[in-house]
Amino acid sequence: QASQEELKAAYRRLCMLYHPDKHRDPELKTQAERLFNLVHQAYEVLSDPQTRAIYDIYGRRGLEMEGWEVVERKRTAAEIREEFERLQREREERRLQQRTNPKGTISVGIDATDLFDRYDEEYEDVPGSSFPQIEINKMHISQSIEAPLTATDTAILSGNLSTQNGNGGGSINLALRRVTSAKGWGELEFGAGDLHGPLFGLKIFRNLTPRCFITTNCALQFSSRGVRPGLTTVLARNLDKNTMGYLQWRWGIQSAMNTSIVRDTKTSHFTVALQLGIPHSFMMVSYQHKFQDEDQTRVKGSLKAGFFGTIVEYGAERKISRHSVLGATVSVGVPQGVSLKIKLNRASQTYFFPVHLTDQLLPSAVFYATVGPLVIYFAMHRLVIKPYLRAQKERELEKQRESTASDILQKKQEAEAAVRLMQESVRRIIEAEEARMGLIIVNAWYGKFVNDNSRKNEKVKVIDVTVPLQCLVKDSKLILTEASKAGLPGFYDPCVGEEKSLKVLYQFRGVLHQVMSADNEALRIPKQ
């Protein structure tokens, strides 16, 4: 986004710095010629609007292509960008065709009531009765995939299998969705299973206003008892920037009316809901706090009361790797008892393990359901997860270093050559700045700094950039834009793939100052 005036000013400054005639030493003269030619090539590309547009889009490779492999070079910069956007849209459509977006859920129900509700008299004559009986009493598996047919049509195939106490069944569904306009879409659904007969459904979504939408779902379920129709309608409205209100009416199987308000902000998620229906009517309040940490920790709690009883739930979830989130929730209810629910989300797959501990309200069950997962998590995090993630990060960094080793070596040689060529210019700049009591860079380092005690075993990787920074000082000011500083003259990347900073110790008006700047952060010194 630099203007032509900024390009010319930078070109003139670098030409004066790297001009071969300014250096008498044969080795410096050779290095100056190479850097001077690189600067000249860059200016030729960036000063021409057409070649600059091609370079912005395709990089150096685009400049080397011939004929149609890029686009006609006679076109304007705007036309080249328009052509590139068209090609990008086509690539997105091709990628859309190939994407199936698989989603799956595996749920395994565990009955562990024998741990707390054990009756010793029942086990007196049973061999091995000294050990509690823990068994899997139910399982559920579901999977769905999407197949884009055109830019507006999508086919969705889904299926599920369930079993409980030795009895089970499954079903398969096919849905065809069409986006009719920017305001809505429609979906036809066909299903069949061994427990229920054929199913036919129609779902319609429509934006009524920019802040309000409606969803309607009609279904016909065929069974041995006849045809059972069903209708569900949801009306939703944005109450403010972070709050949604929902009204739901369901007729047919388990008829009900439900209203809810959901408020979702950067730090919290709050829901209140009220339902009147057959067979269940209830009121529910839930709150979730989102911590702004690296692991995206969330703590939640909810209260649900109705004709079925009262349930209190509390729990937490945390990101354990780039694609995985682990959560645990304790459920305490009357007459439901105490349960522990463990959930692992891995990309688009969900693994759910509800563990039923007791049918009664036992303090010991609540205690172990709360403390047990915390102890296991912190032990696993310290002994398994953290070392694994550290090793994985090291492998990725090592792979990145190997792939860029030759390029970094070349950049390092160019940076060292540039620093040698800058010495005379820097000497003159320092003399001028000292005369006016201006800006003098005393020391400057660029790279990876270790200030945190938790990272004291990590190695510091920095380079001295005092000379290159002093060379950028003009009229007692140093201004760096929002871009990686590894691209500045005399700089290179000393730690590929790792977090970098710039640390500067400078003197202004005879007073020493120090400033620390992140790699992509803009910097202006002296500070006002």
Side-chain angles (χ1 to χ4, degrees), residues 31 34 408-418 420:
Q31 292 170 346
R34 188 159 58 86
I408 292 298
L409 181 61
Q410 183 184 344
K411 295 285 185 188
K412 181 181 178 181
Q413 291 170 349
E414 287 180 4
E416 290 171 348
R420 286 195 290 272

Side-chain angles (χ1 to χ4, degrees), residues 111-119 123 131-134 356-357:
D111 184 357
T113 53
D114 201 31
L115 289 170
F116 299 95
D117 295 340
R118 187 181 174 91
Y119 296 97
Y123 297 92
F131 297 101
Q133 300 292 316
I134 298 175
H356 189 51
L357 298 176

Side-chain angles (χ1 to χ4, degrees), residues 61 169 412 476:
R61 194 173 63 179
K412 181 181 178 181
S476 298

Side-chain angles (χ1 to χ4, degrees), residues 6 12 31 49 68 77 154 192 204 206 239 245 275 310 329 373 397 406 411-412 425 431 441 449 455 494 499 515 517:
E6 289 173 316
R12 282 196 298 269
Q31 292 170 346
W68 167 243
T154 304
I204 297 172
R206 181 76 178 175
L239 303 179
Q275 176 173 303
T310 302
T329 303
L397 286 175
S406 59
K411 295 285 185 188
K412 181 181 178 181
S425 296
E431 288 176 357
I441 307 298
F449 295 86
R455 298 164 57 197
E499 190 177 324
V515 64
S517 169

Side-chain angles (χ1 to χ4, degrees), residues 232-525:
T232 302
T233 301
V234 179
L235 178 66
R237 179 178 172 80
N238 277 99
L239 303 179
D240 63 31
K241 183 182 176 183
N242 299 307
T243 309
M244 287 287 294
Y246 297 91
L247 289 172
Q248 184 188 72
W249 177 65
R250 189 168 63 240
W251 171 78
I253 306 168
Q254 295 188 346
S255 298
M257 289 188 296
N258 183 299
T259 180
S260 59
I261 295 175
V262 180
R263 182 170 177 80
D264 192 14
T265 66
K266 191 178 179 181
T267 59
S268 65
H269 183 94
F270 175 76
T271 303
V272 58
L274 174 66
Q275 176 173 303
L276 299 174
I278 303 171
H280 295 308
S281 295
F282 65 85
M283 184 175 182
M284 188 267 289
V285 179
S286 71
Y287 177 79
Q288 183 181 85
H289 184 74
K290 307 173 187 175
F291 292 92
Q292 302 303 302
D293 59 352
E294 187 180 350
D295 295 323
Q296 300 177 12
T297 307
R298 299 183 178 191
V299 177
K300 55 188 176 182
S302 69
L303 172 65
K304 191 174 182 180
F307 294 165
F308 53 81
T310 302
I311 299 175
V312 175
E313 291 188 342
Y314 58 90
E317 64 178 44
R318 199 175 197 186
K319 191 175 182 181
I320 58 173
S321 72
R322 186 184 303 173
H323 303 292
S324 301
V325 177
L326 180 65
T329 303
V330 178
S331 177
V332 182
V334 179
Q336 291 81 4
V338 182
S339 297
L340 172 64
K341 302 172 184 176
I342 299 170
K343 184 166 72 171
L344 174 65
N345 287 327
R346 172 75 179 168
S348 58
Q349 303 295 312
T350 301
Y351 305 91
F352 186 53
F353 302 93
V355 183
H356 189 51
L357 298 176
T358 173
D359 294 324
Q360 308 171 54
L361 282 182
L362 297 179
S364 58
V366 177
F367 175 79
Y368 286 113
T370 304
V371 177
L374 288 174
V375 173
I376 294 171
Y377 169 76
F378 284 114
M380 290 285 290
H381 188 265
R382 189 174 184 83
L383 301 175
V384 180
I385 297 172
K386 211 171 179 180
Y388 170 76
L389 293 177
R390 194 185 301 120
Q392 187 182 47
K393 187 177 179 181
E394 282 298 322
R395 284 196 301 270
E396 289 176 356
L397 286 175
E398 192 60 36
K399 191 175 179 181
Q400 195 173 356
R401 288 190 200 106
E402 289 174 2
S403 63
T404 59
S406 59
D407 187 44
I408 292 298
L409 181 61
Q410 183 184 344
K411 295 285 185 188
K412 181 181 178 181
Q413 291 170 349
E414 287 180 4
E416 290 171 348
V419 169
R420 286 195 290 272
L421 295 170
M422 290 173 182
Q423 297 292 344
E424 185 60 31
S425 296
V426 166
R427 187 183 61 78
R428 291 197 301 270
I429 291 170
I430 290 176
E431 288 176 357
E433 291 297 324
E434 283 178 340
R436 64 165 76 116
M437 293 283 287
L439 178 60
I440 297 171
I441 307 298
V442 179
N443 281 113
W445 302 271
Y446 172 68
K448 176 185 175 183
F449 295 86
V450 179
N451 301 319
D452 191 350
N453 288 331
S454 64
R455 298 164 57 197
K456 60 186 177 183
N457 295 326
E458 297 183 25
K459 188 179 177 183
V460 176
K461 302 172 186 174
V462 296
I463 56 172
D464 189 328
V465 290
T466 308
V467 172
L469 272 192
Q470 186 68 66
C471 195
L472 293 171
V473 172
K474 186 178 180 183
D475 299 330
S476 298
K477 291 177 187 174
L478 175 65
I479 301 172
L480 303 180
T481 57
E482 292 180 359
S484 175
K485 296 167 180 64
L488 294 172
F491 282 63
Y492 68 93
D493 192 341
C495 45
V496 177
E498 299 185 63
E499 190 177 324
K500 291 173 282 290
S501 301
L502 175 66
K503 188 176 183 179
V504 186
L505 181 68
Y506 66 94
Q507 183 177 304
F508 184 68
R509 299 282 187 260
V511 181
L512 280 173
H513 303 271
Q514 182 176 288
V515 64
M516 192 96 163
S517 169
D519 188 25
N520 290 292
E521 184 183 355
L523 176 66
R524 181 187 179 99
I525 55 177

Side-chain angles (χ1 to χ4, degrees), residues 29-48:
K29 197 176 186 73
T30 304
Q31 292 170 346
E33 284 177 357
R34 188 159 58 86
L35 291 171
F36 183 80
N37 288 333
L38 283 173
V39 171
H40 184 64
Q41 288 170 16
Y43 182 68
E44 279 189 333
V45 170
L46 298 177
S47 59
D48 183 330

Side-chain angles (χ1 to χ4, degrees), residues 98-138:
Q98 297 165 358
R99 191 180 69 211
T100 56
N101 191 23
K103 295 177 184 176
T105 301
I106 295 176
S107 177
V108 179
I110 301 171
D111 184 357
T113 53
D114 201 31
L115 289 170
F116 299 95
D117 295 340
R118 187 181 174 91
Y119 296 97
D120 293 336
E121 61 271 15
E122 294 183 7
Y123 297 92
E124 287 177 356
D125 301 323
V126 180
S129 61
S130 58
F131 297 101
Q133 300 292 316
I134 298 175
E135 59 183 23
I136 295 173
N137 60 357
K138 56 184 174 182

